[in-house]
């Protein structure tokens, strides 16, 4: 019976949450700010990174999952809700656009912000249309400067992943008119909330964009 229930959930989870629904919602609400969600794989069956990219700021979180499952995704999202509180979580994650990975098949668990806070809205890209969340795909290229494709992610700690993301988020971007995702995020949500997520300012001359960072991470 349980299996049938979860299968039913999988087939119905896209109702009202398609890419066309996302476009309609964006236009109706004049939404310019939202979050793209994805996973970065290392070796099949091993740890993955849950990535969350804030559009158009290009700030990205990366959270290590022991496996690519609904419960791991839900646990990590809930941990962010605990850190920020439901209201700030909703401000930071009002709308999430993701793909059709099996680990994202319980959007209702991600959307639930408790009794007193508006639910987050989750939408799904069309099948095989990763270009519909192009910003996160481009930001993933930064991760590949540190961790090459096919490398086992089991050996990296969350602290090391945070360190890597801190350098990435403090890197100036041409598309942000020379600003950094970190600065834009601080301007929008305040330094306290960004610090709570494990991020801090790094001077431009101290940015490292390669794997040597992991050898030096006792200097963080």
């Amino acid at each position: 019976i349980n299996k049938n229930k979860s299968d039913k959930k999988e087939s119905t989870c896209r109702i009202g949450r398609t890419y066309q629904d996302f476009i309609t919602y964006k236009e109706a609400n004049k939404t310019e700010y939202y979050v793209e969600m994805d996973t970065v794989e290392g070796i099949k069956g091993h740890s993955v990174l849950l990535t969350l990219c804030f559009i158009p700021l290009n700030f990205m979180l990366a959270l290590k999952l022991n496996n690519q499952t609904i419960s791991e995704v839900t646990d990590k999202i809930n941990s962010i809700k605990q850190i920020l509180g439901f209201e700030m979580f909703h401000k930071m994650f009002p709308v999430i656009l993701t793909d059709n990975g099996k680990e994202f098949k319980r959007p209702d668990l991600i959307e639930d912000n408790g009794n007193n806070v508006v639910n987050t809205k989750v939408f799904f890209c069309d099948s095989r249309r990763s270009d519909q969340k192009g910003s996160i795909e481009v930001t993933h290229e930064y991760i590949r400067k540190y961790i090459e494709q096919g490398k086992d992610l089991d050996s990296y700690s969350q602290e090391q992943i945070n360190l890597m993301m801190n350098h990435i988020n403090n890197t100036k971007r041409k598309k942000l008119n020379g600003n950094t995702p970190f600065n834009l995020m601080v301007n929008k949500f305040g330094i306290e909330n960004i610090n709570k997520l494990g991020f801090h300012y790094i001077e431009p001359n101290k940015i490292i964009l390669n794997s040597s960072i992991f050898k030096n991470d006792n200097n963080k």
Side-chain angles (χ1 to χ4, degrees), residues 60-113:
M60 189 156 84
L61 297 181
L63 303 164
K64 186 179 169 183
L65 309 182
N66 293 324
N67 44 60
Q68 211 163 349
T69 58
I70 288 168
S71 63
E72 280 280 301
V73 169
T74 307
D75 284 351
K76 288 301 175 200
I77 295 290
N78 284 341
S79 73
I80 301 172
K81 290 177 185 178
Q82 292 296 313
I83 290 165
L84 294 173
F86 286 125
E87 282 192 31
M88 182 49 67
F89 179 86
H90 180 257
K91 277 183 189 156
M92 225 179 259
F93 299 84
V95 177
I96 297 174
L97 177 66
T98 190
D99 61 27
N100 295 279
K102 64 184 187 311
E103 69 273 30
F104 301 132
K105 296 291 191 195
R106 286 297 304 271
D108 53 313
L109 299 178
I110 296 168
E111 291 170 332
D112 182 8
N113 289 329

Side-chain angles (χ1 to χ4, degrees), residues 113-219:
N113 289 329
N115 293 332
N116 305 315
V117 180
V118 178
N119 276 2
T120 293
K121 293 197 96 51
V122 174
F123 296 100
F124 294 97
C125 294
D126 294 331
S127 190
R128 295 183 181 82
R129 286 295 305 276
S130 59
D131 58 299
Q132 290 174 343
K133 51 177 180 54
S135 292
I136 198 168
E137 301 292 340
V138 169
T139 311
H140 283 168
E141 290 170 18
Y142 276 94
I143 292 177
R144 294 305 179 198
K145 293 175 187 286
Y146 299 86
I147 303 171
E148 62 200 44
Q149 207 139 5
K151 190 148 191 215
D152 193 349
L153 296 170
D154 286 355
S155 58
Y156 296 91
S157 66
Q158 184 62 55
E159 286 70 32
Q160 287 177 312
I161 299 300
N162 284 354
L163 180 69
M164 169 182 78
M165 293 314 304
N166 215 11
H167 281 259
I168 291 171
N169 287 324
N170 275 282
T171 301
K172 291 180 179 178
R173 309 284 167 87
K174 198 181 282 185
K175 70 184 290 187
L176 302 177
N177 298 321
N179 215 326
T180 68
F182 176 85
N183 285 340
L184 295 178
M185 201 71 176
V186 166
N187 290 343
K188 191 166 176 69
F189 296 110
I191 188 71
E192 308 82 16
N193 290 305
I194 309 312
N195 288 162
K196 278 183 191 173
L197 293 172
F199 294 93
H200 57 268
Y201 174 72
I202 302 176
E203 292 171 26
N205 63 339
K206 294 198 173 150
I207 297 290
I208 298 169
L209 290 174
N210 60 64
S211 62
S212 70
I213 198 171
F214 301 125
K215 299 179 185 78
N216 302 325
D217 73 349
N218 54 346
N219 301 328

